[in-house]
Amino acid sequence: GFVGGFVLGKVPRLARIAAPVVEFCRAIPAPAIVPILLLLVGIGERSQISLIAFGTLWPVLVSTTDGVRSIDPVYIDTGRSFGIPFWRTTFGITIPASLPQVFAGIKTSLSIGIILMVISEMVGSTNGVGYFILQAQRGFAMREMWAGIILLGLLGWLLNLAFELIERRCLSWYQGSRARHD
């Protein structure tokens, strides 16, 4: 998602060409492709990973594209006027300036990924928390079902906490500049 979004953000003509396909695929709810994945890949980890990858790709791709597009052209022009090569402006200006939006897309994808993990375990797996919850529900084992749901809530909360720590560390320069402007 990051690489595709970066390319689409840097090459507006390619973004215009790809826009209908991106918007079409983005509009498809990931659980709707479960039957297709089961036919193409079969039941198992490959179909689960494919489902999660499909669903989490779009927020990262779109936010990265928007992040790259929203960079003030003055920054890039200043780099060019100083004779800074393309690869250095890419890694020194473009990527850092787009990271706040990239991280927003990744954070959205994190929660989507957890949801899709559970769905994929409920449909195409014989293990995992989603499978456990579904089996508990079918067997009217309410305590076990709620234990699985609470476990998922804790997992989501802990993953979000870990992601926020990473985000804070990677974007400390950004958060510091925002605090000075507020």
Side-chain angles (χ1 to χ4, degrees):
F2 175 77
V3 173
F6 182 82
V7 171
L8 293 177
K10 288 298 270 180
V11 186
R13 185 172 180 193
L14 181 61
R16 282 191 300 277
I17 293 168
V21 175
V22 168
E23 291 305 317
F24 176 79
C25 291
R26 192 171 78 105
I28 298 172
I33 68 164
V34 168
I36 297 166
L37 287 174
L38 292 177
L39 283 173
L40 294 175
V41 185
I43 293 176
E45 282 185 12
R46 288 177 60 200
S47 63
Q48 291 175 295
I49 292 168
S50 299
L51 177 69
I52 294 166
F54 178 82
T56 58
L57 168 76
W58 308 111
V60 176
L61 183 122
V62 170
S63 64
T64 302
T65 302
D66 290 343
V68 171
R69 281 186 194 160
S70 69
I71 296 170
D72 190 346
V74 172
Y75 296 143
I76 306 298
D77 293 340
T78 303
R80 258 192 233 124
S81 69
F82 280 112
I84 298 174
F86 174 79
W87 68 271
R88 288 204 53 205
T89 58
T90 296
F91 288 99
I93 298 171
T94 307
I95 291 176
S98 64
L99 279 181
Q101 282 186 269
V102 171
F103 270 88
I106 294 171
K107 193 169 194 174
T108 302
S109 287
L110 180 65
S111 59
I112 291 170
I114 293 170
I115 293 166
L116 293 175
M117 175 193 74
V118 173
I119 290 171
S120 70
E121 289 174 351
M122 287 180 167
V123 174
S125 179
T126 56
N127 58 19
V129 180
Y131 178 78
F132 175 79
I133 291 170
L134 188 63
Q135 293 303 359
Q137 179 189 13
R138 286 179 180 163
F140 298 102
M142 293 299 131
R143 277 191 216 145
E144 289 82 0
M145 181 189 76
W146 279 107
I149 291 169
I150 290 169
L151 176 66
L152 283 173
L154 286 171
L155 175 68
W157 179 66
L158 289 172
L159 284 171
N160 191 55
L161 251 164
F163 183 78
E164 284 180 357
L165 290 171
I166 293 167
E167 181 182 27
R168 220 176 294 140
R169 186 165 178 102
C170 292
L171 297 179
S172 61
W173 60 271
Y174 176 72
Q175 290 159 347
S177 70
R178 280 186 46 201
R180 285 192 295 271
H181 290 345
D182 289 343

